[in-house]
């Protein structure tokens, strides 16, 4: 087996020694080339090269951002599960949503052991992914399409992600406390929290208007708070298309109610109420905004957009589990 290990040296929960140990463990079982990323987008370039050169397996060692880049490289020319390299993930970030949603251990060493066991037993699954692109006929139509593995957000939650990234660039560690602080700041400074500016349009249905928050889920849980899984769209799955949780108001009582629902959410029950909109298994839909809003995918802030077109693609990529 020809394999490529893509390792992010900035991953928050792995050290150089840990990466060396994992590399040796993987190299003992396969013909392995290990590359450490050197710039933003490097993992994407490596994933594309692996797809073009017939590599059998790509192992992403890092957080969700590293995984997202590798996936976008692998799928540069579109999904083809039978032809493309298989993907394996060794979690090295602060949250590792994609790896944990697949059922992998949230520890790099344990995950490597699980990966080797899965390869010996030939365990894999084909997962669906989300694709976000600029909407034809809008000022964002030229924005390149990009794949995401577990979630995207347009509006409030993307603003929180952007604030966290700013703090990390200033040297702050990525912790759950940091996210909570930035969430509260985003809430108090959110100009559209009482009257939403986002409209969701989908074929064969009336538009859903005046949305303040819109979270697009490709799997469940949506994220983790420490060891606690948070279920924004409990029915979301790698085996279906995309789910959406949206809110049309962010008043203090509404936020308190839905925050409590999220913290107590389960695989059977997520946020609900008159200000919540939950949609399941959407293959094609568009989010439009009256003003430019923050946009994020897989926890990576991508700037401001006024319109995003989403596609849920079933059976997009083979993953070792």
């Amino acid at each position: 087996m020809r394999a490529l290990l893509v390792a992010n040296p900035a991953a928050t929960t792995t050290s150089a020694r840990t990466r060396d140990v994992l590399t040796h463990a993987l190299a003992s079982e396969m013909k392995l080339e290990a590359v450490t990323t050197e710039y933003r987008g490097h993992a994407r370039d490596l994933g594309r090269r692996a797809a073009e050169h017939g590599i059998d397996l790509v192992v992403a060692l890092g957080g969700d951002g590293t995984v997202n880049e590798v996936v976008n490289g692998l799928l540069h020319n579109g999904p083809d599960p039978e032809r493309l390299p298989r993907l394996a993930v060794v979690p090295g970030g602060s949250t590792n949503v994609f790896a944990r949603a697949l059922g992998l251990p949230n520890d790099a060493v344990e995950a490597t052991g699980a990966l080797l066991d899965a390869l010996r037993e030939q365990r894999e699954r084909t997962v669906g992914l989300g694709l976000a692109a600029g909407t034809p006929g809008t000022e964002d139509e030229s924005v390149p399409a990009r794949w995401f593995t577990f979630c995207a957000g347009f509006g409030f939650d993307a603003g929180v992600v952007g604030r966290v990234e700013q703090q990390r660039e200033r040297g702050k560690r990525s912790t759950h406390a940091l996210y909570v602080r930035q969430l509260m700041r985003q809430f108090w400074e959110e100009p559209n929290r009482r009257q939403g500016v986002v409209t969701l349009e989908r074929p064969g249905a009336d538009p859903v208007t005046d949305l303040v928050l819109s979270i697009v889920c490709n799997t469940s849980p949506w994220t983790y708070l420490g060891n606690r899984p948070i279920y924004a769209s409990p029915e979301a799955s790698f085996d279906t298309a995309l789910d959406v949780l949206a809110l049309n108001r962010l008043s203090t009582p509404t936020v308190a109610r839905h925050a409590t629902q999220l913290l107590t959410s389960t695989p059977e029950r997520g946020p609900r109420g008159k200000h919540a909109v939950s949609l399941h298994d959407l293959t094609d839909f568009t989010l439009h905004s009256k003003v430019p809003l923050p946009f994020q995918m897989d926890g990576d802030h991508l700037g401001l957009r006024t319109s995003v077109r989403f596609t849920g693609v079933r059976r997009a990529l083979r993953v070792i589990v």
Side-chain angles (χ1 to χ4, degrees), residues 244-268:
V244 176
L245 170 68
L247 300 178
N248 58 23
R249 180 175 295 183
L250 284 181
S251 63
T252 302
T254 301
V255 168
R257 179 168 60 254
H258 291 305
T260 300
Q261 290 175 347
L262 280 170
L263 291 173
T264 58
S265 59
T266 69
E268 293 77 33

Side-chain angles (χ1 to χ4, degrees), residues 2-320:
R2 297 172 60 208
L4 172 68
L5 171 65
V6 179
N8 179 3
T12 56
T13 59
T14 57
S15 64
R17 178 176 294 180
T18 301
R19 290 192 296 273
D20 288 342
V21 170
L22 301 181
T23 299
H24 287 301
L26 293 171
S28 67
E29 299 286 339
M30 61 193 75
K31 184 178 180 180
L32 181 72
E33 177 188 4
V35 181
T36 300
T37 57
E38 299 176 355
Y39 54 86
R40 190 180 182 99
H42 194 185
R44 179 195 62 232
D45 296 341
L46 293 169
R48 179 178 178 180
R49 189 188 75 181
E52 293 173 345
H53 287 78
I55 298 297
D56 300 303
L57 173 70
V58 178
V59 182
L61 169 55
D64 289 308
T66 302
V67 175
N68 180 277
E69 284 196 15
V70 169
V71 167
N72 275 277
L74 291 174
L75 274 66
H76 177 78
N77 293 316
D80 189 347
E82 301 309 313
R83 180 187 64 83
L84 291 174
R86 290 171 293 171
L87 172 69
V89 179
V90 177
S94 58
T95 310
N96 308 305
V97 177
F98 182 65
R100 296 165 81 177
L102 287 169
L104 297 172
N106 194 34
D107 175 83
V109 176
E110 291 183 14
T112 300
L115 164 60
L116 293 174
D117 288 343
L119 288 170
R120 296 186 191 108
E121 298 169 14
Q122 299 184 343
R123 297 198 312 265
E124 64 178 53
R125 64 180 293 190
T126 303
V127 300
L129 298 171
L131 182 66
T135 307
T138 71
E139 61 185 72
D140 292 321
E141 65 179 339
S142 62
V143 175
R146 180 164 170 170
W147 297 90
F148 60 96
T149 63
F150 65 92
C151 85
F154 188 45
F156 181 83
D157 86 295
V160 176
V161 170
R163 288 175 178 271
V164 170
E165 285 193 6
Q166 288 178 348
Q167 293 299 311
R168 293 186 65 183
E169 289 172 359
R170 296 170 184 168
K172 300 288 187 180
R173 292 183 63 249
S174 179
T175 63
H176 299 296
L178 176 63
Y179 274 89
V180 171
R181 288 196 301 271
Q182 299 312 312
L183 185 150
M184 296 306 300
R185 289 176 181 173
Q186 180 69 22
F187 171 72
W188 291 115
E189 297 177 19
E190 172 61 54
N192 306 304
R193 62 189 175 100
R194 295 190 179 276
Q195 182 62 48
V197 294
V198 176
T199 296
L200 186 152
E201 296 180 350
R202 52 185 169 137
D206 293 334
V208 183
T209 61
D210 301 328
L211 302 176
V212 181
L213 177 150
S214 47
I215 297 171
V216 182
C217 293
N218 185 50
T219 188
S220 188
W222 163 51
T223 190
Y224 292 82
L225 188 61
N227 292 322
R228 180 191 293 272
I230 306 296
Y231 299 90
S233 297
E235 291 185 286
S237 166
F238 288 127
D239 298 321
T240 61
L242 301 174
D243 283 28
V244 176
L245 170 68
L247 300 178
N248 58 23
R249 180 175 295 183
L250 284 181
S251 63
T252 302
T254 301
V255 168
R257 179 168 60 254
H258 291 305
T260 300
Q261 290 175 347
L262 280 170
L263 291 173
T264 58
S265 59
T266 69
E268 293 77 33
R269 192 171 178 84
R272 56 211 174 272
K274 66 177 182 179
H275 296 300
V277 177
S278 295
L279 302 172
H280 175 57
D281 199 15
L282 303 185
T283 301
D284 184 71
F285 64 97
T286 302
L287 293 174
H288 299 283
S289 173
K290 299 174 184 176
V291 299
L293 292 177
F295 179 58
Q296 68 89 11
M297 290 199 298
D298 287 348
D300 187 9
H301 188 265
L302 300 178
L304 302 178
R305 303 279 181 87
T306 56
S307 184
V308 186
R309 181 176 180 178
F310 292 91
T311 306
V313 180
R314 296 178 178 85
R315 297 186 58 80
L317 189 66
R318 291 181 298 164
V319 181
I320 303 298

